[in-house]
Amino acid sequence: MRKVLFLTLILIFSINLFGQNAKRSFDFTEYGVRIEPDKRLMVVLASLEAGGLKTPLTAEGEQYREMLAADLAGVDPALREKIKTFITQYKKRHSKTDDAELIAPFISMAYSLTPVPDLVEPIRATDLPGDLLDVLDYTPLVREFYRKANFGEKLDKYLKMYQEKGDQMRPSTSLMIGKLLDYMHTRPQLTYVEKVKTQSQPAKKNRQKLETTESRFHERRFFIVPELLTAKGTVNFVNQGDDYSAIVPPGTDLAGSEVRRAYLQFVLDPIVLDNAQEIFKHRDAIKALIEERRKTNRDISPDFVLTVSRSLAAAIDARQIEFEKSRIATYEARQKIAALEAEDAELQKKGQFDKPKRDALKKQVVADLNKYNSALADETALLLSEAYEQGAVLTFYFADKLRSLEDSGFDITESIGQMIAAIDTTKEANRLDEVADARARALAEREKRKALAADPNKVIENPVTKKLLAIDEIIKNKAYDDARRQLKDLLLDEEVSREGSEELSRVYYSLGRLESLAAEAATEADTRNYHLIAAKNAYDNVLKNKTDKTDKALLSLTYVALARIYEFNDQNDYAIKIYEAAMNIGEVEGGAYSQAVAAHQRLMKGQQ
């Protein structure tokens, strides 16, 4: 809990830096992104619901499912039976596939249709994907469903719900865009120029036709599509020419989901294509690596240009996470050492300075940082090896190149050409063997985290604490509205709401942390200020509710969190006094004494 709180305002500053480089009001279209539902998809998935093909949904999805069932109660039974028959036959052909995977081809089919109300399928052709051809005969039933269910009359009502869910994704979307583009120091190409040869008829007869080259401009777009009927925890991707679509269930944390990789592909694909000639020079060597992987996984694409693009995306995805976490951990370590040095000065004045002991404390901070960075490197090795196994056979190569450039402020657009030109595949065949130990360590750590997440009650048995731990997981998943509602429900609990109770203080603290994180994710100044005020009020309530028995560590954390809000708003005089209140509590286990000392020292120097 302490670490998450400590990062809150640091991340506010880092995200704001990105925003200031773009616009104060974050305009997603400047980065090619649009968050909007797709009417065709809504119709197709609703028709499948009418036919009984159901998947596990989020809580919001289940509510929509109930509304939809009521609205579709009067659908022609004969039509419903035809849809059921199609689904049953389709399931028989794919008996080993679960319902969530069964729906994926229908999603692709929805994107092949013309807009509502026509919903006309494409002409059947051999170049259409096989899974799409498998469900293309369903389209007449979609059109019949749209008409007979009067779906068009209900669309406005449904769209409003969908748009609300899309708006809730804006904070994590801005985080995703900001983090990835800040790391790459670039902006996506939003226009693709196609060179087309054309012929014109000469003015005089018997003369040869004139051939010219014409430039055609295509807009490139990345759609984030909120879809209430998408299976919980499932993200689907559709790529149609210059349009990329990520279909996600409500409540998805875009900044920590597979959508990151899809957005990276959107940014990287045109840059990679611009360097296609260099890639062709390494064609045979790359193909050899791909074929080796295809011996164990025939689903891997043999396309060597696509392999370069996917390898690069996987490398950036993994390296950005490690780079950011390591940078924050290094900042924390420096703050801890600065706090220890401030304490050294006070101890020297009092004649209580023990140099060996104090040096050991500082060495421990460095050792902890090194241990943490080593674990991060292991996790990166695991992520890269998983991508390698899926056909991204150059992902380790690109990760090494990125690691050497990260501190230079490189522009990925300018650097990719050099990376591709220097490709040497001789090292890539043995990459999995080289990282086997690191991968094993990372897998072991991943299993430990799963075990803790599966049974948090092993540690704490207090019923309110159990609820707060569960809510904390909701907060981690960025489902702030749900977490806020549950915390406010806890405030009404008779056992919790007693004045002076420890439980009441902890609920208010969790509410303050939630609002701080919501402020971090906000892209609009007014929204950010609203959440910061809510956070301040929650932290104030922790302090108003304190008694002699209130946990000192909780008070220490609260004072520092509150002081940071005042500091963020340039009210440094108030911040100094609140940091002093935290310092007066002293150094208690789980508290924030060292952070308070470091912040207080920094602000005092600023006033000199």
Side-chain angles (χ1 to χ4, degrees):
M1 189 173 286
R2 175 175 52 183
K3 186 173 181 182
V4 173
L5 180 66
F6 184 72
L7 297 183
T8 298
L9 289 180
I10 296 173
L11 291 176
I12 287 176
F13 290 126
S14 66
I15 296 303
N16 280 349
L17 283 173
F18 180 84
Q20 290 165 9
N21 289 336
K23 270 189 176 183
R24 191 154 187 85
S25 177
F26 202 104
D27 183 359
F28 291 141
T29 59
E30 291 187 6
Y31 307 96
V33 176
R34 289 164 171 77
I35 304 177
E36 55 188 61
D38 190 284
K39 295 178 182 178
R40 299 167 299 177
L41 183 59
M42 292 169 67
V43 177
V44 170
L45 294 186
S47 72
L48 294 173
E49 283 280 321
L53 183 57
K54 299 181 185 297
T55 59
L57 303 178
T58 62
E60 296 96 327
E62 290 291 351
Q63 291 172 6
Y64 177 63
R65 172 175 278 165
E66 291 176 10
M67 177 193 295
L68 197 62
D71 288 347
L72 299 179
V75 169
D76 179 5
L79 170 60
R80 200 185 288 269
E81 195 59 37
K82 284 192 285 186
I83 294 174
K84 285 183 179 179
T85 300
F86 187 97
I87 292 171
T88 300
Q89 292 174 347
Y90 181 72
K91 280 186 171 182
K92 285 181 179 178
R93 297 196 300 272
H94 303 275
S95 57
K96 296 182 180 179
T97 307
D98 62 34
D99 285 355
E101 293 174 318
L102 281 172
I103 284 179
F106 290 93
I107 291 175
S108 297
M109 182 266 287
Y111 276 86
S112 74
L113 303 178
T114 58
V116 296
D118 296 332
L119 298 167
V120 177
E121 67 270 27
I123 297 173
R124 193 177 289 271
T126 56
D127 60 345
L128 289 175
D131 58 349
L132 173 55
L133 287 169
D134 205 19
V135 296
L136 208 56
D137 289 338
Y138 184 69
T139 52
L141 292 175
V142 174
R143 289 191 292 274
E144 187 177 353
F145 170 80
Y146 183 81
R147 292 194 310 272
K148 291 186 175 180
N150 296 319
F151 205 82
E153 296 176 7
K154 306 177 183 76
L155 257 180
D156 286 343
K157 177 178 71 171
Y158 300 152
L159 278 172
K160 186 177 179 181
M161 293 178 60
Y162 274 63
Q163 286 162 351
E164 287 175 357
K165 301 308 174 187
D167 288 342
Q168 292 170 10
M169 294 177 184
R170 294 183 67 84
S172 64
T173 301
S174 64
L175 278 174
M176 177 190 74
I177 296 170
K179 287 181 177 182
L180 294 177
L181 298 188
D182 269 352
Y183 177 77
M184 295 187 288
H185 301 96
T186 195
R187 281 176 175 254
Q189 295 181 23
L190 303 185
T191 304
Y192 171 67
V193 183
E194 181 186 13
K195 301 292 185 181
V196 180
K197 290 184 178 181
T198 60
Q199 291 183 337
S200 59
Q201 191 67 36
K204 295 182 179 180
K205 292 182 179 180
N206 302 323
R207 283 197 177 179
Q208 194 173 12
K209 290 182 179 180
L210 300 175
E211 189 175 271
T212 59
T213 301
E214 178 183 297
S215 295
R216 295 180 183 174
F217 295 86
H218 302 270
E219 183 181 12
R220 301 184 68 247
R221 300 175 296 181
F222 186 88
F223 290 95
I224 294 171
V225 184
E227 178 47 65
L228 286 159
L229 294 178
T230 296
K232 180 169 58 176
T234 302
V235 179
N236 288 280
F237 303 104
V238 178
N239 182 201
Q240 289 180 300
D242 299 307
D243 284 344
Y244 295 61
S245 297
I247 298 94
V248 295
T252 300
D253 171 20
L254 280 299
S257 74
E258 300 94 329
V259 179
R260 279 171 53 98
R261 191 77 62 86
Y263 185 64
L264 280 170
Q265 288 294 161
F266 171 76
V267 175
L268 295 171
D269 281 351
I271 308 174
V272 170
L273 287 175
D274 286 344
N275 291 276
Q277 288 185 343
E278 282 294 334
I279 297 173
F280 268 81
K281 295 177 183 177
H282 305 282
R283 175 179 54 188
D284 293 339
I286 297 172
K287 277 189 169 184
L289 289 172
I290 296 171
E291 287 307 314
E292 189 62 31
R293 295 309 315 158
R294 280 171 56 81
K295 289 178 182 178
T296 55
N297 184 356
R298 297 305 296 178
D299 291 334
I300 291 173
S301 170
D303 187 326
F304 60 93
V305 177
L306 181 63
T307 295
V308 171
S309 182
R310 288 180 176 173
S311 297
L312 187 58
I316 292 173
D317 189 22
R319 283 301 311 158
Q320 186 276 326
I321 293 170
E322 181 182 349
F323 181 71
E324 179 186 41
K325 287 183 176 180
S326 178
R327 185 172 56 175
I328 292 171
T330 301
Y331 175 87
E332 286 183 353
R334 287 172 179 166
Q335 292 293 94
K336 289 177 182 177
I337 290 174
L340 288 171
E341 289 175 346
E343 291 174 13
D344 288 350
E346 292 297 319
L347 291 170
Q348 285 175 341
K349 288 178 183 178
K350 296 176 182 178
Q352 300 173 351
F353 181 69
D354 184 339
K355 189 174 188 307
K357 181 179 178 181
R358 302 302 295 178
D359 286 347
L361 289 173
K362 293 168 192 173
K363 287 179 181 178
Q364 187 59 50
V365 172
V366 175
D368 289 344
L369 175 63
N370 290 337
K371 182 179 178 181
Y372 179 73
N373 282 335
S374 178
L376 286 180
D378 287 347
E379 180 65 22
T380 298
L382 175 56
L383 292 173
L384 295 174
S385 63
E386 289 172 339
Y388 187 98
E389 287 176 333
Q390 295 302 313
V393 293
L394 293 175
T395 192
F396 285 99
Y397 168 79
F398 285 122
D400 289 345
K401 292 293 182 182
L402 290 166
R403 188 181 290 106
S404 67
L405 292 171
E406 284 166 344
D407 292 320
S408 67
F410 71 102
D411 182 334
I412 195 71
T413 305
E414 297 174 0
S415 304
I416 284 179
Q418 298 171 1
M419 292 183 193
I420 292 172
I423 285 176
D424 180 1
T425 60
T426 55
K427 298 180 181 179
E428 306 313 308
N430 298 318
R431 289 290 195 171
L432 293 181
D433 292 336
E434 291 173 6
V435 300
D437 290 342
R439 179 174 181 168
R441 290 192 298 268
L443 282 171
E445 285 300 313
R446 192 179 281 183
E447 290 303 314
K448 285 181 186 177
R449 291 195 297 270
K450 285 181 181 178
L452 287 173
D455 191 7
N457 299 330
K458 287 180 179 178
V459 182
I460 299 173
E461 295 298 329
N462 183 292
V464 175
T465 306
K466 288 182 183 179
K467 290 179 182 178
L468 288 175
L469 283 169
I471 293 170
D472 190 55
E473 290 300 314
I474 297 171
I475 293 172
K476 288 177 183 176
N477 291 324
K478 304 288 193 302
Y480 297 141
D481 290 342
D482 189 18
R484 187 181 293 109
R485 183 169 57 253
Q486 292 193 38
L487 286 170
K488 289 186 176 180
D489 286 343
L490 270 179
L491 290 175
L492 300 176
D493 187 297
E494 288 185 1
E495 286 299 310
V496 173
S497 61
R498 288 179 294 105
E499 187 174 341
S501 75
E502 182 79 3
E503 289 83 0
L504 184 59
S505 295
R506 293 197 178 279
V507 173
Y508 275 131
Y509 177 79
S510 292
L511 196 55
R513 190 171 71 86
L514 180 153
E515 297 295 354
S516 294
L517 290 168
E520 169 202 322
T523 56
E524 301 287 345
D526 289 343
T527 304
R528 182 176 62 249
N529 290 337
Y530 169 85
H531 289 299
L532 285 175
I533 290 169
K536 174 190 172 297
N537 291 338
Y539 292 135
D540 281 342
N541 284 327
V542 175
L543 301 178
K544 288 176 185 176
N545 188 61
K546 72 175 181 176
T547 66
D548 292 338
K549 296 180 180 179
T550 302
D551 181 18
K552 301 300 182 185
L554 180 67
L555 291 177
S556 175
L557 291 166
T558 301
Y559 278 125
V560 170
L562 191 57
R564 283 186 174 135
I565 293 175
Y566 279 103
E567 186 178 350
F568 180 75
N569 288 310
D570 294 324
Q571 295 176 286
N572 289 346
D573 289 338
Y574 285 106
I576 287 171
K577 291 176 181 177
I578 300 172
Y579 282 129
E580 288 173 350
M583 292 161 63
N584 289 337
I585 292 174
E587 190 163 9
V588 294
E589 186 176 354
Y593 176 80
S594 61
Q595 292 96 315
V597 171
H600 183 270
Q601 184 181 36
R602 184 184 67 250
L603 291 181
M604 292 300 291
K605 284 182 179 179
Q607 291 192 349
Q608 291 174 358

